Amino acid sequence: MMLCLGSVGLVLLALTVQNGHGAPDSAGWNGKDTTERNYYTRYHNMTEISDWMEKMKRENPDVVSSMVYGQTYEERNITLLKIGLRSTKRKKAIWMDCGIHAREWIAPAFCQYFVKEILQGYKTDTKVKEMMKNLDFYVTPVLNVDGYIYSWLNDSTRLWRKSRSPGPVGCTCYGTDLNRNFYANWGTVGVSTNCCEETYCGTKALSESEARAVTDMLGKMSGDILAFLTIHSYSQLILVPYGHPNISAPNYNELMEVGLGAAKAIKAVHGMDYTVGTSPDIIYPNSGSSCDYARLIGIPLSFTFELRDQGEYGFKLPEDQIQPACEEAYAGVQHIITYAHDKAFYSSAATVTTTLWTTVMTAWVFSATFL
Amino acid sequence: METGELNPNYYPARRAAAVVQHYLNTRYGSPYRWMFLGNVHNASSEDVTEGRKYQLELTIQEMISNVSGPCSAELLFPGAGTPQVQASCDWLLPNNTRAQEEAFYQQHRDSHNLVSGDRIPDSYGHMEPTMKPFWHLGGVASSFIMLEQSNQSTLYNMAQVANFTQLETEKDQLRFQYHVLLHEMVSQEIIHWKMLITWSPAEGVKVLQTDLQPKCNCEDPPDSIN
């Protein structure tokens, strides 16, 4: 009996190993590469990412909690990790989402890497610790859960981009481009009205539950969010609002300065060039993007990141590039977050200077009057 | 459309430069030589009677040897039809790839062991080392299609070699049937093409036939997984 079970066990083990990367039934943490360094250098399916989110909460209960803030079309949870030192006061926030486009696998990989880095960093790095104290990081590793799962089914679905909602009456195709579905100049430029096409913007703004979920969350938090970062691939770009060629963000100069600083930080890591600018300047005009919506509701620092590469592998970035791609992206994101944090918590430097001058002037006027 | 000096980082210059990349691959590409656009340094454009003309100074990267170098190019987007490119990249000499190409050619010339492959790269960006030259060859051959299909509103890359099959060698040319997936950046579409191609070190890559594959909208909703 024992021998028989042993053989069955061996067969099962062989099957598991043979399935290799992220087959839908592989349990991420029971596979061969359970070392942390190996984990963050591979792509993970949705089950593995969900398990990983639970693990982050379990291992860091004092700084990590999760929130389900919406449902996908196929009624799956859209979950974020909220990361920060607990406070009784209401805190400012940084928003990051990954995987709004299903095929851009390096994006969820980066969100996972980012979380890992700040959870390690805050214990040893005073700056990261300070930011964790003053801010909460709201990180959504996979926004387009349905699309992401679909892209893992087989080779023919790998390059899926959109949501998985069915098309309108009369159209047999599936999916809306979530990054054209937000209430931000919706349906004006850079979209398709053909439901079979990749930039189909939907029947109306916020037709997609995933876009509504983000919109609702941002609505609840908007006054508190210092920076909004949405992560994509590929092309190595840092895009600033707006996607419409005739509309400029009021703080365009600031956005460009911060974006160029981030690109410089990225280049310092592995020498990669990231181009900074608005979408209509750098790649193409577009409308209804999450980044545009964030800027429109008043989040001052809204950026879209397009990670590696520049077309050699495109969406199928090899796993041996995950680590360097994430390292450089982290440097870029950190530049923006640090700027956002310091502006909120140290532009008391500007306030202090103003207060000082006011005091001096008042004293002078006072003394002048009474002499 | 802007006329005169262009910002080299903005899309009009980048799209034109990508066309130069495709052109260089059709002229110089091989299983061991595949060019990609690096940076654009200078760009200008103007309307001419035949269409829109661009002048470009750019850096091209050869991906296998990892050597980069400068190129100057002039490119015309006609009202309709294939862009016309003239480019000079003095450093793009065939020297360093000759031995590898010759060895590869001899290895596959004998039609007893016809090679085939699929999903290059796979979903994780991985491919077997023996498949790499066929991936490069697919990329170079795709450049013929990408060059022909390019206009000022497109930016093409090859997303994947879906599959390839080696056919009998004919007239000293290796012959292959390829099915490639192209990614067009502006529309974000994935476009399927089949091609019949030949290659030899002497003749370079030639594309004999191309077949645009229809976009399949024939999907059933999948059963819920995960």
Side-chain angles (χ1 to χ4, degrees):
Chain A
M1 191 59 164
M2 285 294 285
L3 200 65
C4 181
L5 282 171
S7 311
V8 169
L10 277 171
V11 169
L12 284 172
L13 181 64
L15 284 171
T16 315
V17 170
Q18 197 178 8
N19 271 333
H21 295 282
D25 56 334
S26 86
W29 293 104
N30 295 334
K32 0 173 211 168
D33 293 323
T34 54
T35 62
E36 182 211 83
R37 203 175 68 80
N38 285 332
Y39 183 84
Y40 294 99
T41 59
R42 286 179 297 134
Y43 294 117
H44 297 285
N45 66 25
M46 198 61 221
T47 308
E48 291 173 335
I49 294 177
S50 301
D51 289 346
W52 167 86
M53 284 198 267
E54 290 304 307
K55 187 180 199 291
M56 292 300 105
K57 281 162 59 183
R58 252 190 345 263
E59 293 183 347
N60 305 275
D62 47 336
V63 290
V64 181
S65 60
S66 68
M67 275 179 71
V68 174
Y69 64 98
Q71 307 291 126
T72 64
Y73 174 77
E74 290 173 348
E75 293 177 352
R76 297 190 176 93
N77 286 339
I78 305 172
T79 314
L80 60 77
L81 291 177
K82 178 182 169 186
I83 304 169
L85 292 166
R86 299 214 194 283
S87 166
T88 45
K89 289 180 297 183
R90 190 174 164 130
K91 290 170 76 181
K92 294 292 182 188
I94 303 283
W95 174 278
M96 185 187 300
D97 66 72
C98 297
I100 200 172
H101 288 139
R103 58 194 181 196
E104 299 166 9
W105 284 13
I106 186 61
F110 173 68
C111 264
Q112 290 189 283
Y113 179 93
F114 176 80
V115 166
K116 180 257 296 184
E117 279 298 304
I118 60 174
L119 287 176
Q120 277 177 355
Y122 90 95
K123 292 169 189 160
T124 52
D125 183 317
T126 39
K127 191 65 187 174
V128 177
K129 182 167 189 176
E130 184 193 9
M131 292 202 286
M132 287 276 261
K133 177 169 149 280
N134 293 331
L135 303 171
D136 284 328
F137 294 89
Y138 289 75
V139 181
T140 304
V142 183
L143 179 53
N144 181 4
V145 181
D146 293 349
Y148 190 69
I149 289 172
Y150 188 70
S151 74
W152 275 79
L153 284 186
N154 56 56
D155 190 66
S156 74
T157 64
R158 171 64 176 83
L159 293 174
W160 188 259
R161 168 182 170 91
K162 302 186 285 182
S163 69
R164 289 296 299 165
S165 57
V169 175
C171 185
T172 53
C173 300
Y174 275 71
T176 291
D177 186 340
L178 293 175
N179 210 32
R180 302 287 186 278
N181 191 243
F182 283 79
Y183 195 61
N185 305 303
W186 177 83
T188 51
V189 291
V191 296
S192 171
T193 49
N194 180 334
C195 104
C196 293
E197 290 185 353
E198 299 284 12
T199 56
Y200 175 60
C201 55
T203 49
K204 56 178 183 179
L206 301 181
S207 59
E208 305 305 293
S209 55
E210 295 87 347
R212 288 198 301 273
V214 174
T215 301
D216 291 345
M217 264 313 278
L218 294 183
K220 288 178 192 144
M221 298 167 64
S222 75
D224 300 330
I225 302 180
L226 302 176
F228 176 94
L229 304 168
T230 181
I231 314 295
H232 295 248
S233 76
Y234 61 92
S235 288
Q236 293 175 207
L237 310 172
I238 298 173
L239 299 170
V240 307
Y242 289 106
H244 196 291
N246 299 347
I247 309 174
S248 289
N251 63 335
Y252 172 78
N253 289 337
E254 180 189 32
L255 286 163
M256 285 301 293
E257 193 187 321
V258 178
L260 287 165
K264 190 169 168 200
I266 289 174
K267 191 166 169 115
V269 182
H270 295 299
M272 289 299 187
D273 287 311
Y274 276 59
T275 310
V276 185
T278 64
S279 296
D281 284 341
I282 303 294
I283 28 164
Y284 44 62
N286 66 268
S287 58
S289 71
S290 63
C291 176
D292 279 6
Y293 179 72
R295 178 58 273 212
L296 270 177
I297 59 166
I299 298 169
L301 297 161
S302 298
F303 294 91
T304 302
F305 272 72
E306 297 277 357
L307 303 185
R308 288 196 190 184
D309 58 18
Q310 290 188 307
E312 190 190 359
Y313 289 93
F315 300 116
K316 301 186 177 196
L317 192 71
E319 288 184 309
D320 64 13
Q321 284 197 51
I322 295 179
Q323 174 86 5
C326 287
E327 284 168 346
E328 69 202 15
Y330 183 78
V333 162
Q334 197 175 35
H335 178 89
I336 295 171
I337 292 173
T338 306
Y339 174 89
H341 169 273
D342 290 355
K343 186 182 173 196
F345 294 94
Y346 289 113
S347 74
S348 55
T351 318
V352 164
T353 318
T354 317
T355 316
L356 200 60
W357 273 113
T358 314
T359 313
V360 167
M361 290 299 286
T362 314
W364 179 82
V365 167
F366 189 81
S367 57
T369 317
F370 280 92
L371 274 173
Chain B
M1 252 297 181
E2 245 189 282
T3 289
E5 283 299 308
L6 301 176
N7 186 318
N9 288 326
Y10 286 6
Y11 75 75
R14 295 284 306 182
R15 288 180 195 173
V19 178
V20 176
Q21 170 198 311
H22 300 320
Y23 166 78
L24 290 171
N25 277 314
T26 63
R27 287 293 309 276
Y28 301 105
S30 83
Y32 288 90
R33 186 190 286 221
W34 195 17
M35 269 69 73
F36 269 88
L37 173 63
N39 288 326
V40 183
H41 305 291
N42 282 307
S44 63
S45 73
E46 55 174 339
D47 284 323
V48 294
T49 34
E50 304 86 5
R52 182 100 182 153
K53 195 164 81 163
Y54 286 76
Q55 313 258 26
L56 302 162
E57 307 278 331
L58 45 106
T59 297
I60 287 285
Q61 217 181 332
E62 199 290 296
M63 301 309 276
I64 293 120
S65 61
N66 209 13
V67 173
S68 293
C71 299
S72 342
E74 203 174 272
L75 151 69
L76 172 70
F77 285 113
T82 308
Q84 289 157 42
V85 185
Q86 285 171 307
S88 67
C89 313
D90 298 329
W91 59 279
L92 256 185
L93 301 166
N95 296 332
N96 57 343
T97 49
R98 265 227 169 106
Q100 287 170 301
E101 291 177 9
E102 201 50 53
F104 179 81
Y105 175 69
Q106 293 302 334
Q107 183 190 358
H108 295 288
R109 181 190 180 155
D110 180 352
S111 297
H112 280 140
N113 279 317
L114 296 176
V115 195
S116 64
D118 65 352
R119 300 173 12 165
I120 308 165
D122 69 11
S123 290
Y124 312 94
H126 181 260
M127 69 187 77
E128 290 303 308
T130 50
M131 290 290 114
K132 266 206 162 170
F134 299 103
W135 178 53
H136 303 147
L137 185 55
V140 169
S142 294
S143 299
F144 285 81
I145 299 175
M146 297 193 286
L147 174 62
E148 192 194 37
Q149 296 289 314
S150 286
N151 58 50
Q152 291 177 92
S153 302
T154 60
L155 182 64
Y156 281 98
N157 284 294
M158 181 181 75
Q160 189 195 42
V161 172
N163 60 64
F164 79 92
T165 308
Q166 185 183 5
L167 309 171
E168 299 276 325
T169 299
E170 235 177 59
K171 296 180 194 163
D172 295 331
Q173 306 300 304
L174 302 187
R175 289 201 319 149
F176 303 89
Q177 177 81 259
Y178 264 82
H179 179 159
V180 295
L181 273 55
L182 305 183
H183 173 236
E184 200 289 292
M185 184 72 73
V186 181
S187 64
Q188 290 291 343
E189 294 294 326
I190 303 294
I191 307 161
H192 294 241
W193 285 86
K194 284 192 173 164
M195 351 177 243
L196 180 62
I197 76 168
T198 65
W199 175 75
S200 68
E203 297 293 314
V205 178
K206 304 238 184 295
V207 175
L208 304 184
Q209 263 176 47
T210 61
D211 259 306
L212 174 63
Q213 301 299 295
K215 182 167 172 171
C216 176
N217 296 322
C218 45
E219 42 174 306
D220 304 312
D223 293 327
S224 234
I225 302 187
N226 287 10

